[in-house]
Amino acid sequence: MGTIVPGSDLVGREDIIRSLVNRLQRGENLILASPRRTGKTSVAMEILARLQAGGTMTVYLDFFRYAAPEGFALAFTSEVLKNDRILARGLRWVAQQLPVLSEIKTDFGEAVSLAVELQQKRQLSLDAVLDLGEALARRRQRHLVVVLDEFQDAGKFGADVYRTFRSFFQHHQNSTYLFLGSRKGLLEALFIRENEPFFRFASLEALPPVPALVWEGYLRRKLQLAGVTVNKNFARHMAEAAGGHPGDLMHLGNAVMDVWNGELDTGTLLDAAYQLTMSRLTPTFGEMWRLLASHPGAQVVARRVATGDPLYGKSGRKPSSFQVTRAVHFLAEEGILEKVARGHYAFGEKMFADYIRDLEH
Ligand SMILES: Nc1ncnc2c1ncn2[C@@H]1O[C@H](COP(=O)(O)OP(=O)(O)OP(=O)(O)O)[C@@H](O)[C@H]1O
Ligand SMILES: [Mg+2]
């Protein structure tokens, strides 16, 4: 995973940040589905910072981090409590006084019952905590925005977990939800398939590509600060070499600074920086490539798309056309391939396609 970029360093995202802040403030639930390292989490963090500054309560949780629902429930509770220092202090006090207090119903009703559950079971269940933020928002007459990152991974908590979440969220009047995910197709399917519990719960949003001109200006300024003067053409070639992928382009920018020695001509500089970037990304790409091995035909199909070969091979050869269709579907679900036209797919991340093309076969 990349480092989260502070708002001031986020390139070309001001419009989308503003629009999402407004829509969340109006209470619209949203889904932001976009491939790996395109900047979802950085954008979400900036959105939350702006909402907080405006007095909104916020919660951020990444499903990637929790192996079991109990861990998630505990983290959810502590994120909610971060919004209210007095309640958080009250809860700590309640926990200390538990033997005496557990039978008393006070204004801190939720806090007491949570503390009791924690004390008795040493863990919290999802059911016990999912209304907590909403209850606090209602009590304090504030709005709560909850960001659930890599939401498609919540499925690891069990098949019914989405039904559980929906059964709580749908009653929340003071809470608004922003769902993020890099396994684009999988995340979207949760909200657009009629038989899924989250059908029509939120509107789909994409992270738009950053325009080439915006990258050019940013890269030239950033490199200039490091004493590397490059012209527009060079900056444009950089953006092209990284396929406009935000994470990869940032790596490439760093690599240009690392290989720069004041003497290289621009062609050699870009080649060397590209090679260095590729070697730094190789562990990530290797992991992604191994993931594809788990699905029949996915590596073959990925290679065909990367090399521009026809998707479907000769009849009678493996993978069968059925397997190819399934593999394309899988690659789109994982957010690796995007449909560009009917029957045509492309990699969301150019450098991953380059990596695959250069693998020894
Ligand atoms: N608009 C941008 N401006 C500058 N850097 C960016 C931008 N978008 C992404 N990055 C770079 O990409 C890296 C990944 O960003 P971030 O973690 O926000 O993306 P993500 O989509 O949440 O990734 P992941 O799929 O790993 O969760 C950051 O460390 C940063 O270097
Ligand atoms: Mg992320």
Side-chain angles (χ1 to χ4, degrees):
M1 264 196 250
T3 355
I4 305 309
V5 185
S8 52
D9 271 344
L10 268 175
V11 185
R13 294 295 185 217
E14 187 53 32
D15 289 352
I16 182 110
I17 289 173
R18 258 195 230 165
S19 134
L20 297 186
V21 164
N22 285 335
R23 291 168 70 185
L24 290 165
Q25 262 167 342
R26 289 199 300 264
E28 191 179 353
N29 298 318
L30 298 169
I31 309 144
L32 191 57
S34 165
R36 298 295 315 269
R37 292 174 295 106
T38 46
K40 298 171 296 296
T41 304
S42 302
V43 163
M45 289 305 182
E46 179 59 19
I47 289 174
L48 290 183
R50 292 190 194 185
L51 288 168
Q52 268 169 16
T56 302
M57 306 199 313
T58 62
V59 161
Y60 171 86
L61 288 156
D62 182 353
F63 278 91
F64 188 71
R65 293 203 195 147
Y66 309 100
E70 291 75 20
F72 175 86
L74 207 55
F76 185 87
T77 307
S78 92
E79 275 287 295
V80 168
L81 292 176
K82 270 190 204 156
N83 290 283
D84 195 316
R85 257 187 261 141
I86 300 175
L87 181 58
R89 221 182 296 142
L91 185 60
R92 261 196 305 275
W93 180 79
V94 165
Q96 283 157 10
Q97 314 296 323
L98 252 187
V100 200
L101 272 183
S102 58
E103 296 305 315
I104 305 173
K105 299 273 175 260
T106 65
D107 186 38
F108 287 120
E110 291 93 351
V112 174
S113 59
L114 276 181
V116 171
E117 184 167 341
L118 255 182
Q119 175 81 4
Q120 288 171 347
K121 302 191 198 146
R122 298 261 148 227
Q123 60 183 26
L124 290 171
S125 66
L126 275 184
D127 288 15
V129 305
L130 288 178
D131 275 335
L132 187 68
E134 171 68 13
L136 192 61
R138 194 172 346 109
R139 180 102 43 88
R140 298 283 186 261
Q141 295 186 321
R142 285 169 71 189
H143 184 196
L144 169 70
V145 170
V146 178
V147 174
L148 297 175
D149 206 344
E150 301 299 355
F151 186 60
Q152 75 284 325
D153 287 356
K156 67 186 167 191
F157 294 169
D160 276 342
V161 73
Y162 293 113
R163 216 165 291 284
T164 305
F165 281 124
R166 170 85 194 227
S167 68
F168 282 90
F169 295 172
Q170 68 187 353
H171 298 297
H172 291 173
Q173 305 286 325
N174 300 271
S175 311
T176 305
Y177 294 87
L178 169 60
F179 304 91
L180 309 180
S182 47
R183 301 165 79 188
K184 197 166 177 279
L186 273 181
L187 180 65
E188 290 177 353
L190 286 173
F191 294 86
I192 56 178
R193 285 203 193 129
E194 243 172 280
N195 56 350
E196 293 287 348
F198 272 93
F199 178 55
R200 289 197 170 160
F201 183 76
S203 330
L204 273 175
E205 271 309 312
L207 214 42
V210 174
L213 265 180
V214 176
W215 279 134
E216 273 174 40
Y218 170 82
L219 291 168
R220 292 182 71 196
R221 277 195 308 279
K222 198 79 183 170
L223 290 172
Q224 185 72 60
L225 284 176
V228 187
T229 308
V230 298
N231 63 18
K232 264 195 210 165
N233 250 348
F234 184 86
R236 185 160 42 82
H237 287 315
M238 276 180 74
E240 283 166 6
H245 183 280
D248 295 353
L249 190 47
M250 288 302 127
H251 270 297
L252 187 61
N254 287 327
V256 166
M257 295 186 228
D258 292 342
V259 296
W260 171 254
N261 60 10
E263 285 169 16
L264 296 175
D265 68 85
T266 52
T268 317
L269 174 62
L270 188 53
D271 280 350
Y274 178 90
Q275 292 310 330
L276 181 59
T277 306
M278 187 53 99
S279 71
R280 287 174 178 169
L281 283 168
T282 289
T284 307
F285 290 157
E287 194 189 314
M288 288 161 69
W289 181 245
R290 279 189 295 280
L291 172 91
L292 303 195
S294 68
H295 192 99
Q299 286 187 338
V300 176
V301 168
R303 195 177 304 140
R304 284 178 186 165
V305 175
T307 52
D309 286 336
L311 271 181
Y312 293 89
K314 295 203 179 81
S315 68
R317 290 266 194 87
K318 289 253 174 189
S320 66
S321 357
F322 174 72
Q323 281 175 328
V324 170
T325 306
R326 292 279 308 268
V328 169
H329 183 70
F330 166 77
L331 292 164
E333 278 197 329
E334 289 296 322
I336 291 168
L337 287 188
E338 283 172 23
K339 194 174 185 167
V340 283
R342 199 155 168 253
H344 287 275
Y345 291 83
F347 277 80
E349 189 171 3
K350 172 194 171 277
M351 287 192 70
F352 185 44
D354 296 349
Y355 167 88
I356 294 174
R357 223 177 296 117
D358 285 350
L359 283 173
E360 303 263 332
H361 299 301

